[in-house]
Amino acid sequence: MRASTGDGEQDLEAPASPPRQAGRRGPRPAGQATISRVAEAAGVSRATVSRVMNGSPSVNPELAARVRAAAEALDYEPSAAARRLALGRTGAVALVVPDLSNPLFQSVLRGLSQAAGRAGRQLLVAESDEDPEEEVILALEARRNSDALVLASPRAPDERLRALGDRLAPFVLVYREVAGLDAPSLSIDNAAGIGAVVSHLAGHGHRRLAYLAGPDGSAGNAERLAALRALAQAGPGIELTVLACGSMFEHGHAAASRVAECGVSAVVAFNDMVASGVLTGLRELGVRVPGEVSVTGFDDIPFARYTTPPLTTVSIPQSELGRQAWERLRGLMNGEGGGYNVRYQPRLLIRGSTGPAPA
Amino acid sequence: MRASTGDGEQDLEAPASPPRQAGRRGPRPAGQATISRVAEAAGVSRATVSRVMNGSPSVNPELAARVRAAAEALDYEPSAAARRLALGRTGAVALVVPDLSNPLFQSVLRGLSQAAGRAGRQLLVAESDEDPEEEVILALEARRNSDALVLASPRAPDERLRALGDRLAPFVLVYREVAGLDAPSLSIDNAAGIGAVVSHLAGHGHRRLAYLAGPDGSAGNAERLAALRALAQAGPGIELTVLACGSMFEHGHAAASRVAECGVSAVVAFNDMVASGVLTGLRELGVRVPGEVSVTGFDDIPFARYTTPPLTTVSIPQSELGRQAWERLRGLMNGEGGGYNVRYQPRLLIRGSTGPAPA
DNA sequence: TTGAAAGCGCTAACAG
DNA sequence: CTGTTAGCGCTTTCAA
């Protein structure tokens, strides 16, 4: 056994042992240049090449030029894997969402992707397909391959999240707030949004409302429903019918007949997709909107302006959430702390799908 | 200088030298367990721990249990970075698209995300914001942090792609085909789609058509336009008006008045978003669809069924593209080759936005 | 400013 | 079946 220097400076030429089975295991795409090869070609040490590649100012310009030339000539690209290991950071951030087909999460993805991209970071994305348990696993996994995480997990139980808090950190929670969790959260004030909707509707003389409920267990749905119930109880005379529905177009579409039958003058949909679906369904049934029944959505997805009639809905700062999430991550990664939680106050957008209650 | 064994088996206790500035550089989140610590705790070698963690069958069950217990007790999680370096692969695949807000790319993202997720791989996503040059840079960068790449780059010039072919490999191209490029491609037969649209329209007696053109430089737009022109020239008497438009709702919306003025009986939109926009615009102008003018889309995005009237459009296998892309990547990564290129043949979906030409 | 050396944490060929 | 050993390719003290 020979004492090694810990690194193979001298092993460039084949030693006594049989040449390592070529093409089998080589981490690099076959003949990819390594820092050692560049160093050799430029006649400097690996440390110097490293410095040059990382733009250290304290390198003799002439040397630097030589190194750059050698790197160029060899088509050298630093190994991301090796840097990750040596540096102890990945240069990536991760996003975990329940469902990539949901416009809400798409906006966050987009905002985050752009912000992270501008900062020169990779973005890892994972989708749990609405399975809360899977979500947590994915989050852990994603977190191991990144430096920080944005988690949208409307269904996972509070305790589960609290239990995993430090294995997930640093991370930020979006569209949700969990008490006692040590992570910044960016969420929506659902109650305020519902409040605005209801007072708009009440102002138009609507008394009997239906709520097209979102998925069971969704934190957003729970809050919206609770707000509605509270309003119905406290209010002067609002009568609330809750209809189980879902979160997709089809769900809303399928609920149209139940809406028509239950004799309400206005329907508050869990979100814009459901609202659009019910709009279409109602039209097919010959029910006039907003003449006979008014419809409201939630979220203000891009399509909401293009339904017929255009959807009155609650607007929330979707892509802002992505951007903010990035800011928080950045803070967290720099050890600056994640800042205060924020609850975005939604804004009611009155378009054509609501009007006076029929006499 | 002392002869090292190449790895710090013996350095668990602080040596003579000053304890490395704590909390500054440590690759692991402070006190994270390493394979060495686990090995020590279980009284075995690191190789054995590695074997156990990777489920090698040739490990004494009793030892394996001991190792697992130790790992558990120490909250050990293998370092992804170290594995990447040692293994020479990242375990991730990447997707680069021009625009994450485009439903077309969202579907690919989704299909790919699910397929890759099921296979236990991470997914890296990057968005170029429609800048073809940026796209190529991002692709290179993404590729360095993954094992294979799916590239949607409708605008980058053919030569550019050919030039970078081997630095990008293994990769697959979606929604596009580039001659002489050594990468499988999955694309749409745009001409066939347009053909179906035109014959449907012609069958309804439409003679004067407008094309709402997509972005300049988009490969898909070019093909659709070329097909339309060819048909207009060859055809019995189709008169084509090309209107510059774009790819978004707003673009279609804004084009409505030009459509109304140019006296056509049918408009073929670049895609569904444009079609939806023009539908809304036309309605606002009091133009009846399909009574006065028929409208067709392209892509069959989820929302197309929910416009008013529902959109007649060309359906393409969007999420299939994502799944297939994954299959190809898998093949490529296993050295099986990427298979033949495929051009998906679109299908015309006749819904309510088209009808007989007005007399 | 530069180089030598010592890792980062894991895997795998090889020998026993 | 298990341990030893030699890396994977890069960064970063530390000393010159």
Side-chain angles (χ1 to χ4, degrees), chain A residues 49-108:
Chain A
V49 177
S50 174
R51 293 193 186 102
V52 172
M53 297 311 289
N54 293 299
S56 159
S58 68
V59 185
N60 182 319
E62 192 205 325
L63 263 199
R66 225 161 71 209
V67 168
R68 264 188 284 272
E72 182 83 11
L74 295 174
D75 261 330
Y76 171 63
E77 297 191 25
S79 148
R83 302 198 75 224
R84 283 181 181 221
L85 181 55
L87 254 16
R89 51 187 161 72
T90 66
V93 297
L95 171 69
V96 175
V97 299
D99 176 14
L100 281 171
S101 69
N102 188 323
L104 231 57
F105 302 126
Q106 288 167 356
S107 309
V108 175

Side-chain angles (χ1 to χ4, degrees), chain A residues 1 18 22-23 25 37 43 49 53 72 87 120 125 129 156 170-171 177 188 196 264 291 314 336 341 353:
Chain A
M1 138 176 150
R25 188 209 163 201
R37 239 182 270 295
V49 177
M53 297 311 289
E72 182 83 11
L87 254 16
V125 352
D129 207 22
F171 76 111
E177 201 165 354
I188 299 299
V264 298
V314 174
E336 298 163 12
N341 287 354
S353 66

Side-chain angles (χ1 to χ4, degrees), chain A residues 261-274:
Chain A
E261 283 160 12
C262 76
V264 298
S265 68
V267 20
V268 176
F270 167 61
N271 67 14
D272 286 351
M273 293 195 284
V274 167

Side-chain angles (χ1 to χ4, degrees), chain B residues 16 19 22 64 100 138 166 178 180 182 199 202 260 307 318 335 352 359:
Chain B
L100 280 170
L138 283 174
D166 22 279
V178 172
D182 186 27
S199 70
T307 56
Q318 303 177 55

